[in-house]
Amino acid sequence: MKALVHVTLKADVLDPQGKAIAHACAALGHGAVEGVRQGKLFEIEISAPDEAAARGVAAEVSEKLLANPVIEDYAILRIEP
Amino acid sequence: MLSVIQFPGSNDDRDTRFALKSVLACDAELIWHKQGELPAGTSGVVIPGGFSYGDYLRCGAMARYSPVMAAVRRFADAGGPVLGICNGFQVLCESGLLPGALIRNHHLHFVCQRVHVRVEQALAPFTSRSRAGAVLRLPIKHGEGAYFASPELLGRLEAEGRVLLRYCDADGNVSPASNPNGSLGNVAGLLNQAGNVMGLMPHPEHAVEADFGGRDGRAILGSLVDAVTGGHS
């Protein structure tokens, strides 16, 4: 199975990279872009008997490794067969 | 004996050993991260700067799970002094041995320059050779050195006097202009609650000889040496 995990900076953490990307969007002529927050997407291959088990593994590695809870949140977007 | 931890990607490990051993005359050895135990006789630990594991995922995130870190945690829990420099500071934050996190510099640039830091307290085992209010000139070189903590945590750190070093100007004035990376509270160096674990972004090991960037780094490393040898020079 495959888990898709999205890691984002918490709302109160400054994201200078996102800011720079937003500036670049404006420079491209897309003044409609009002803000960008940059995150990370992890595609994790998991050998598990069912979705619940795969979700459990994804949650554990997210909490222990993929996200730093001081500055980041994570969301398991979906589990694919 | 001071154990200097060596991860794949550490690059200030040898300079740190040189500063401790050849300049400050304290026994110091490089300890490979795969070792599950610190050598017997370890009286202090230094986690040096560099790019452990290529800074993959987040700075310090992978090093946290190296076998040696469990031993470093036991050592710290038992009250042993642990100093993390630059990437070592990041590793200590990722490990939870120090609170908060170090994030991308607010201006996105890698900074490589000499800065001034103000010593907020003269305390063993890390700043006893200095004095409160002293200004040290030390090099920094990092891309992810902006100290971040929630407002509550930062308030607690300030109230408990755990900010040991702050970015300042040559006269010791702390201001946004003297902040090279966007660190909250101009934090450059920090203590854990028990007072035996310190992290700092500046590099004291690169400032131990007059002809090579000054000697202000001795105020930090020399304090650690004094603490583990019981001496003072």
Side-chain angles (χ1 to χ4, degrees):
Chain A
M1 284 186 220
K2 187 196 271 186
L4 269 77
V5 175
H6 189 201
V7 174
T8 50
L9 282 172
K10 286 182 189 291
D12 59 343
V13 178
L14 186 70
D15 178 15
Q17 294 181 100
K19 238 180 194 173
I21 294 165
H23 281 304
C25 291
L28 279 172
H30 293 292
V33 174
E34 292 181 333
V36 175
R37 301 283 289 175
Q38 181 178 322
K40 296 170 187 160
L41 182 69
F42 296 91
E43 296 179 11
I44 312 166
E45 302 284 349
I46 302 170
S47 166
D50 54 37
E51 187 184 324
R55 189 173 288 275
V57 172
E60 193 165 338
V61 297
S62 297
E63 271 161 37
K64 286 193 172 165
L65 186 63
L66 302 184
N68 176 344
V70 176
I71 50 170
E72 294 169 323
D73 293 318
Y74 77 89
I76 299 172
L77 298 182
R78 61 175 184 269
I79 307 284
E80 294 173 356
Chain B
M1 193 265 283
L2 288 166
S3 289
V4 179
I5 310 297
Q6 202 179 29
F7 295 104
S10 295
N11 64 10
D12 295 321
D13 40 349
R14 287 179 175 79
D15 283 5
T16 301
R17 181 179 57 176
F18 174 82
L20 295 168
K21 206 169 181 172
S22 301
V23 179
L24 294 163
C26 182
D27 192 16
E29 294 304 328
L30 300 179
I31 306 302
W32 184 238
H33 72 114
K34 290 278 193 196
Q35 297 195 26
E37 297 290 338
L38 295 167
T42 296
S43 48
V45 170
V46 182
I47 306 181
F51 301 84
S52 58
Y53 293 87
D55 277 352
Y56 296 164
L57 189 59
R58 292 178 310 277
C59 305
M62 317 283 268
R64 169 189 180 182
Y65 290 108
S66 273
V68 77
M69 284 309 294
V72 170
R73 179 181 299 274
R74 287 194 296 275
F75 182 78
D77 287 348
V82 176
L83 178 68
I85 303 167
C86 195
N87 188 227
F89 189 4
Q90 295 163 338
V91 172
L92 290 173
C93 285
E94 282 284 339
S95 306
L97 286 167
L98 287 173
L102 292 147
I103 60 174
R104 185 66 63 107
N105 296 343
H106 68 112
H107 45 57
L108 287 172
H109 297 289
F110 188 97
V111 288
C112 184
Q113 64 193 66
R114 286 177 205 291
V115 296
H116 295 95
V117 292
R118 189 174 74 195
V119 178
E120 301 293 78
Q121 280 194 77
L123 270 183
F126 304 112
T127 53
S128 56
R129 277 202 194 186
S130 192
R131 56 178 173 77
V135 175
L136 308 178
R137 190 162 179 263
L138 298 171
I140 54 171
K141 49 185 180 90
H142 59 246
E144 282 96 353
Y147 184 71
F148 176 85
S150 66
E152 302 77 48
L153 173 60
L154 199 61
R156 201 162 73 235
L157 296 175
E158 296 283 6
E160 293 173 356
R162 287 163 59 186
V163 178
L164 266 196
L165 300 175
R166 239 184 265 275
Y167 298 110
C168 65
D169 66 17
D171 298 320
N173 302 305
V174 171
S175 72
S178 64
N179 188 335
N181 53 24
S183 288
L184 296 181
N186 279 41
V187 170
L190 193 71
L191 267 186
N192 69 340
Q193 194 154 27
N196 66 315
V197 178
M198 181 191 184
L200 76 167
M201 287 313 293
H203 289 267
E205 79 281 16
H206 295 322
V208 290
E209 294 178 291
D211 293 338
F212 297 94
R215 298 172 42 160
D216 286 1
R218 295 187 189 200
I220 309 288
L221 295 180
S223 299
L224 178 60
V225 167
D226 289 346
V228 302
T229 60
H232 184 75
S233 51

